[in-house]
Amino acid sequence: MNQNIKSIITVSVMSALVFGFSAWNILGKDKTYSESERRELAAFPELTQSTLLDGSFMTDFESYALDTFPMRDTFRGIKSAAEIGLFQKLETNGLYIRNGYVSKEEYPYNEQMLDHAAERMRFIYDSFIADKNLNVYFSVIPDKNCFLAEKIRPALDYDDFIKEARKRTDYMQYIDITDLLELDDFYRTDTHWKQEKIVDVAKRLTSEMGVELTCDFTEKVLDTPFEGVYYGQIALPLKADEIHYLSNDAIENCRVTSYSKGKPEETVVYNMKKADGKDPYEIFLSGAEPLIVIENPDAKTDKELVIFRDSFGSSLAPLLVDSYSKIIIADIRYMQSAAVGSFIKFDKQDVLFIYSTLILNNSLSLR
């Protein structure tokens, strides 16, 4: 085969690929959401004289083109496999794999973020709790990087981080749970802890708050495979996790009320409608909810608990149901701190602020 024919074939193939992918991209319907990455995709930017002149159109168009490229997930997977398998890189797409666990490096320590989180907690305390003479507790949930820190560098100093968090919340009684956790207590492909692994955490918390957790649980397994938040982001064919959830008579008989729409609506502890959704972890208290009230009609005590929490608290709170007559669960990522007093009347309850290091070190979502 002479050189001219080779050149013609090469150009033809490359042209077919370039123009074929371009036509596919132009004629295909744009996706607005990435199921694998669990995020909104960039939309086609507005084309105006001002966006052209200030350069924002081309910047936004680049983001749009990258998000809507044909077979994007396939190419992301090839990139990840090449970087980790072929080039032996320590991370890909901002993620790393160690001991079979996928995680995202949580570094460096962000003092401003911790200050903001502490300020939000202090605001709630000063505005609604300080003059009520209530028992107020604080606990930090270390993310799974804490148990992978010796495998990655640089890494957050978790002992120092928690020490700094305690300094900023010294008006609350601290409950340490770090010694009860280990790597196996977390999902391999997700940020969260496994509910079946944190019964000892629930017992530590209730004991420190002066109540008992003596009930037994029945462990059940969700049929739906759990591909956690990191599964799609790293774009590699990893083995999915399983979600186990714990139940007993108190959990099954309790009354659950959601205020996600501003008015009370009856719901459930384990929302199985969420099992086939984009994030099966949302079976725990229906996922992102600003305010949930759980009432235990068979409680042997009249004690109540108010929990300020992030998503880790969704799987923790059900384990505490048997110890309280009522648990009020507030998430100030989805409700304004200033509105707390409109929904919660503080009177003789225990109050627990419990947040993961992931939120405390990236706290702008706390309102």
Side-chain angles (χ1 to χ4, degrees):
M1 184 180 298
N2 64 43
Q3 189 62 39
N4 288 336
I5 295 177
K6 288 182 180 180
S7 299
I8 292 172
I9 293 175
T10 300
V11 171
S12 298
V13 171
M14 290 302 299
S15 298
L17 288 173
V18 171
F19 288 108
F21 273 108
S22 298
W24 187 353
N25 197 21
I26 294 170
L27 299 175
K29 185 178 179 181
D30 289 345
K31 294 175 63 177
T32 60
Y33 185 83
S34 171
E35 295 289 344
S36 61
E37 296 172 274
R38 297 186 191 172
R39 68 175 182 88
E40 299 292 334
L41 296 175
F44 190 87
E46 183 181 8
L47 178 59
T48 65
Q49 183 179 2
S50 61
T51 59
L52 281 174
L53 292 176
D54 66 17
S56 62
F57 175 80
M58 292 309 301
T59 300
D60 293 342
F61 181 80
E62 182 179 3
S63 298
Y64 161 77
L66 290 173
D67 272 2
T68 57
F69 191 79
M71 298 178 63
R72 179 172 173 275
D73 285 343
T74 300
F75 284 108
R76 287 176 58 243
I78 293 172
K79 173 179 175 288
S80 295
E83 288 183 335
I84 289 180
L86 181 60
F87 300 114
Q88 298 293 298
K89 289 186 65 175
L90 297 178
E91 57 84 25
T92 181
N93 298 328
L95 304 171
Y96 66 89
I97 302 177
R98 294 292 183 280
N99 296 357
Y101 286 78
V102 187
S103 195
K104 186 175 183 179
E105 189 177 275
E106 186 58 31
Y107 182 87
Y109 159 48
N110 193 322
E111 185 175 7
Q112 288 73 30
M113 289 292 107
L114 186 56
D115 285 342
H116 176 73
E119 186 275 328
R120 288 293 81 198
M121 289 186 278
R122 186 79 203 203
F123 173 85
I124 293 171
Y125 179 82
D126 288 344
S127 301
F128 311 113
I129 300 173
D131 61 345
K132 300 295 194 302
N133 195 29
L134 305 180
N135 295 317
V136 186
Y137 306 90
F138 176 53
S139 189
V140 175
I141 305 168
D143 64 89
K144 67 183 177 185
N145 287 321
C146 178
F147 309 100
L148 288 168
E150 74 279 2
K151 302 291 184 181
I152 59 172
R153 289 293 183 271
L156 198 67
D157 185 331
Y158 285 87
D159 290 337
D160 184 62
F161 185 89
I162 293 174
K163 179 181 176 181
E164 291 298 322
R166 294 181 66 174
K167 281 183 183 179
R168 290 162 171 77
T169 55
D170 57 2
Y171 53 93
M172 296 190 275
Q173 179 179 330
Y174 186 73
I175 304 177
D176 186 19
I177 60 172
T178 302
D179 63 303
L180 300 176
L181 296 170
E182 58 187 12
L183 184 59
D184 186 52
D185 295 339
F186 297 82
Y187 295 110
R188 291 178 297 101
T189 64
D190 196 67
T191 57
H192 295 103
W193 55 14
K194 302 173 183 176
Q195 189 192 52
E196 73 275 14
K197 296 288 189 177
I198 59 169
V199 174
D200 55 348
V201 171
K203 288 182 177 179
R204 170 76 60 83
L205 292 170
T206 52
S207 175
E208 293 289 327
M209 292 189 292
V211 295
E212 285 189 295
L213 182 67
T214 57
C215 58
D216 294 323
F217 296 97
T218 299
E219 186 172 330
K220 302 179 181 181
V221 183
L222 195 66
D223 291 336
T224 306
F226 179 40
E227 297 173 351
V229 66
Y230 294 143
Y231 184 97
Q233 292 178 6
I234 202 166
L236 290 174
L238 305 175
K239 182 180 178 181
D241 281 294
E242 285 185 339
I243 289 184
H244 296 231
Y245 60 101
L246 304 178
S247 190
N248 56 29
D249 290 341
I251 292 174
E252 292 177 1
N253 296 333
C254 66
R255 294 189 295 267
V256 186
T257 306
S258 167
Y259 291 83
S260 61
K261 298 180 180 178
K263 60 181 181 179
E265 291 186 335
E266 185 177 340
T267 183
V268 290
V269 173
Y270 301 124
N271 187 350
M272 293 305 160
K273 293 180 182 179
K274 299 284 188 176
D276 296 318
K278 60 183 180 182
D279 184 4
Y281 182 79
E282 291 185 345
I283 68 164
F284 298 109
L285 295 178
S286 300
E289 296 277 339
L291 188 70
I292 293 176
V293 177
I294 304 176
E295 297 174 276
N296 178 7
D298 301 321
K300 302 178 180 63
T301 175
D302 60 355
K303 293 198 70 171
E304 299 181 6
L305 173 66
V306 179
I307 303 176
F308 291 94
R309 54 88 183 201
D310 55 25
S311 55
F312 280 73
S314 296
S315 52
L316 170 68
L319 304 182
L320 310 178
V321 168
D322 194 59
S323 300
Y324 290 92
S325 62
K326 180 189 287 187
I327 300 178
I328 302 171
I329 306 162
D331 193 334
I332 58 171
R333 294 174 301 166
Y334 306 105
M335 68 183 296
Q336 295 287 346
S337 299
V340 166
S342 301
F343 294 96
I344 305 174
K345 180 181 179 182
F346 291 92
D347 182 25
K348 298 180 181 179
Q349 304 106 326
D350 292 333
V351 181
L352 172 64
F353 291 82
I354 183 165
Y355 288 103
S356 68
T357 50
L358 295 175
I359 287 294
L360 295 176
N361 204 40
N362 303 275
S363 67
L364 285 182
S365 60
L366 299 181
R367 302 160 61 190

